[in-house]
Amino acid sequence: MWDDLVGQDPVVAQLRSAVEASAAGRAAGDAGGGPGKMAHAWLFTGPPGAGRSAAARAFAAALQCSETPRGCGHCASCHQVLQGTHADVEVVRPSGLSYGVRETRELVLRASSSPSGGRWQIVLFEDADRATEAAANALLKAIEEPPPRTVWLLCAPSPEDLVMTIRSRCRLVTLRTPPVAAVADMLVRRDGIDPETAEAAARAAQGHIERARRLATDEQARRRREQVLAVPRRLTSVAPAVAAAEALVKAAEEEAKATTERLNESETAALRQALGESAKGRMPRGTAGALKELEDRQKSRATRVKRDALDRALLDLAYYYRDVLVLQLGAGGELVNADIAAELRTAAAEGRPEDTIRRLDAIMECRRRLDANVNPQLAVEALTLALRTG
């Protein structure tokens, strides 16, 4: 399971040391625990795709491991944690754009219970930065006064994404962007991808492990990325710029739809089975509310997944102009989009570095607008018009 943390050797060493200290009854840190106590709050930070959640899950498995040394990855406890079925490890994934105070209070209440079989009661909170201000305050109280056998594992892009009062009480685990060579090697070893495709996917994903795997294995994902990279050459006038914006949003919607349909189908089937669906597809009385609640959560998640997909498309666009700027400045850096190097050289020769920087600023501004809930179509149209004029 530690092998899943690609290019994160310092993090693996840090977590293994903490697990060994916990098992030996020695001090594991000073955030949330004193001498001889386990640190009860951990904050996993790093760029998207670096493996924050994977690191937190591996740590949770090691803490619950029944073998020596802890964290074998093969015992029943490790297997259950890694599969998401361990009774004493709760994984929280905010389904919407934010995580509210009501859900947080319910989570805090569940986390206060004693472990039923494991060594710890562990809460792994993915995307903890999505907690609202009120939710963060509720979470802070639980972290300040944790039950003796409860451990909180929070994941966020950076420490600054959580309020200072929470991050100051957490032991920090910082993941870095995995090197391209390490990601490519993983794709070759674990997924059987040929080295050339693996290298191209790893470079395009810029350290985002799951995106690299998707680009290497999914033809549709590669096609959508090609559509994004085609945007700059379509910006010949106002009408094509507006059409390019529509295509960019549509590509993000297609990616989000593919993701959510797969998740929705498995979740709905699992819930219907758990509620006692008959062989003829009939549901028992009183189950409509649970199905409606799941449907609402799935709709909320679909909005978030669409926004995340659009943000990834904007980052692909930013890497395009980054490559152009590298060529214009003669910086000698490796191109992210080496497969279209000829087009990038032409774009670099036809423009000025100042124009390219303004285009990069426009992309970042579009990301900020989307984060502020601006209509995606309008935000991207404003972007493509700005990209056209430079």
Side-chain angles (χ1 to χ4, degrees), residues 204 211 224-235 244-245 248 309-325 336-337 340 343-344 356 359-360 362-364 366-367 380 383-385 387:
R211 178 153 172 76
R224 287 190 290 266
R225 180 173 174 273
E226 290 170 359
Q227 290 176 340
V228 173
L229 297 180
V231 167
R233 60 177 176 266
R234 297 179 58 184
L235 307 178
L248 197 61
L310 185 54
D311 189 66
R312 283 192 294 272
L314 293 177
L315 286 175
D316 284 337
L317 202 55
Y319 286 132
Y320 178 99
Y321 287 108
R322 173 264 183 199
D323 285 347
V324 171
L325 187 61
V336 174
N337 302 289
I340 55 171
E343 177 183 335
L344 294 170
T356 305
R359 290 184 172 107
L360 285 167
I363 294 172
M364 297 303 111
C366 182
R367 295 181 71 200
V380 177
L383 168 63
T384 53
L385 291 173
L387 295 177

Side-chain angles (χ1 to χ4, degrees), residues 21-98:
S22 169
R26 293 183 280 113
D30 58 1
K37 294 183 179 180
M38 172 70 180
H40 285 275
W42 298 72
L43 175 56
F44 292 76
T45 67
R52 299 187 301 260
S53 298
R57 191 182 293 271
F59 186 43
L63 288 174
Q64 301 288 28
C65 183
S66 57
E67 300 294 324
T68 303
R70 307 284 183 181
C72 68
H74 305 295
C75 69
S77 293
C78 283
H79 181 74
Q80 289 167 1
V81 174
L82 297 175
Q83 294 298 315
T85 59
H86 197 289
D88 294 326
V89 178
E90 178 162 3
V91 180
V92 180
R93 300 184 181 91
S95 58
L97 298 176
S98 62

Side-chain angles (χ1 to χ4, degrees), residues 38 40 42 44 56-65 81 86-92 107 110-111 113-115 118-125 149-154:
M38 172 70 180
H40 285 275
W42 298 72
F44 292 76
R57 191 182 293 271
F59 186 43
L63 288 174
Q64 301 288 28
C65 183
V81 174
H86 197 289
D88 294 326
V89 178
E90 178 162 3
V91 180
V92 180
L107 178 63
R110 294 195 300 272
S113 61
S114 298
R119 303 173 65 242
W120 303 95
Q121 181 73 27
I122 299 176
V123 180
L124 198 171
F125 195 161
R149 308 303 296 175
T150 297
V151 178
W152 290 85
L153 309 180
L154 311 179

Side-chain angles (χ1 to χ4, degrees), residues 14-202:
Q14 176 187 5
L15 297 179
R16 278 181 161 167
S17 176
V19 171
E20 291 171 4
S22 169
R26 293 183 280 113
D30 58 1
K37 294 183 179 180
M38 172 70 180
H40 285 275
W42 298 72
L43 175 56
F44 292 76
T45 67
R52 299 187 301 260
S53 298
R57 191 182 293 271
F59 186 43
L63 288 174
Q64 301 288 28
C65 183
S66 57
E67 300 294 324
T68 303
R70 307 284 183 181
C72 68
H74 305 295
C75 69
S77 293
C78 283
H79 181 74
Q80 289 167 1
V81 174
L82 297 175
Q83 294 298 315
T85 59
H86 197 289
D88 294 326
V89 178
E90 178 162 3
V91 180
V92 180
R93 300 184 181 91
S95 58
L97 298 176
S98 62
Y99 196 76
V101 64
R102 180 178 64 84
E103 298 99 319
T104 303
R105 286 172 177 163
E106 293 174 353
L107 178 63
V108 169
L109 183 62
R110 294 195 300 272
S112 64
S113 61
S114 298
S116 61
R119 303 173 65 242
W120 303 95
Q121 181 73 27
I122 299 176
V123 180
L124 198 171
F125 195 161
E126 297 182 357
D127 298 323
D129 53 302
R130 296 186 187 272
T132 63
E133 182 178 356
N137 290 333
L139 183 60
L140 172 61
K141 186 173 181 180
I143 291 176
E144 283 180 325
E145 303 173 3
R149 308 303 296 175
T150 297
V151 178
W152 290 85
L153 309 180
L154 311 179
C155 302
S158 73
E160 289 69 29
D161 289 316
L162 294 182
V163 295
M164 187 269 290
T165 48
I166 288 182
R167 66 176 184 260
S168 65
R169 288 165 173 78
C170 295
R171 185 170 180 183
L172 186 62
V173 180
T174 305
L175 287 82
R176 62 169 182 162
T177 299
V180 169
V183 176
D185 179 65
M186 179 208 68
L187 293 174
V188 172
R189 287 187 295 104
R190 299 187 197 174
D191 298 285
I193 307 300
D194 68 89
E196 184 177 350
T197 300
E199 173 79 15

Side-chain angles (χ1 to χ4, degrees), residues 267-289:
E267 287 177 348
T268 301
L271 180 60
R272 293 179 71 90
Q273 182 179 8
L275 293 175
E277 181 181 23
S278 70
K280 295 182 178 180
R282 296 177 181 175
M283 297 299 299
R285 291 182 180 181
T287 59

